[in-house]
Amino acid sequence: MPAQPAPSSPDLPLPHVAARLEQEERLDRLAGLYERISSTVVPSSGPVRDELRGRSVGHPVHSVLTDLPIGLWASAVALDLTRPDGHADSARRLVGLGLLAAPPTALTGLADFRALSPRGRRVAAVHATCNGVGTLLALASWRARRSGRHGLGTLLSLVGMGAVGAGGYLGGHLAQAMREPRQVPGQDEATD
């Protein structure tokens, strides 16, 4: 029997915030910016777009790829907090590897963006912005660590994980509560 998503309750604060974002028409301008970025970097059709959307695996790949930067950055934070011998170099490398994993993750998200409904695009725009802020903070953390300022690097990673955590929650809202995007190339999709 397939696992069922946990029911979301509008009485809980986080589902309430996510549901409000869906209705917030002021986010349409931000969503329009991501639409333009998506249109610029992702082909509107063809095999590249199809693979970015997950044709070969049968479902969108963005949610799978998000585990890479988040997992790498969370591992760096775990090392920072537990401080085993030699942790500083290992944490810096993990932050750097997360930065390398971020662009393909973002690219697959942009490929999925145009298949979303207007409500979904509003949530996705905030999701992408949170993750963009988190990625910039990870970059600042990596640079601080590289220059020997490990305490600052740790602080930047912690704040960045907060931003990425908020973005991840909204991504989960899109994938589970809103059930978007569920199509793979070849199925009916929203108009690009």
Side-chain angles (χ1 to χ4, degrees):
M1 177 176 199
Q4 296 294 319
S8 85
S9 169
D11 297 333
L12 298 173
L14 291 177
H16 178 72
V17 168
R20 293 274 313 243
L21 291 176
E22 293 177 34
Q23 306 302 322
E24 188 55 63
E25 292 178 2
R26 290 180 292 184
L27 290 171
D28 290 343
R29 189 172 184 173
L30 181 62
L33 171 65
Y34 284 105
E35 169 74 28
R36 289 187 298 281
I37 294 170
S38 176
S39 296
T40 301
V41 300
V42 177
S44 60
S45 63
V48 171
R49 179 181 182 270
D50 291 349
E51 290 308 318
L52 288 171
R53 300 257 359 267
R55 180 186 65 189
S56 294
V57 296
H59 61 78
V61 294
H62 177 68
S63 59
V64 174
L65 290 181
T66 61
D67 291 350
L68 292 172
I70 292 171
L72 291 161
W73 293 333
S75 297
V77 167
L79 287 176
D80 289 334
L81 295 177
T82 59
R83 304 180 60 77
D85 290 339
H87 80 281
D89 287 338
S90 297
R92 179 182 44 80
R93 286 187 188 104
L94 288 167
V95 171
L97 288 170
L99 288 167
L100 292 175
T105 304
L107 187 59
T108 57
L110 287 168
D112 288 341
F113 187 83
R114 288 183 288 182
L116 296 171
S117 69
R119 287 176 39 231
R121 288 179 185 199
R122 292 170 186 149
V123 175
V126 178
H127 160 78
T129 300
C130 288
N131 289 324
V133 167
T135 301
L136 289 174
L137 287 164
L139 176 61
S141 171
W142 182 81
R143 290 179 59 119
R145 292 165 189 273
R146 192 165 158 104
S147 67
R149 296 178 300 175
H150 302 290
L152 177 60
T154 297
L155 177 62
L156 290 165
S157 285
L158 286 168
V159 176
M161 284 303 295
V164 169
Y169 177 80
L170 294 173
H173 179 77
L174 275 168
Q176 298 299 316
M178 295 185 76
R179 301 259 189 225
E180 293 187 39
R182 300 301 271 181
Q183 308 92 5
V184 293
Q187 295 178 349
D188 293 333
E189 298 180 1
T191 304
D192 282 347

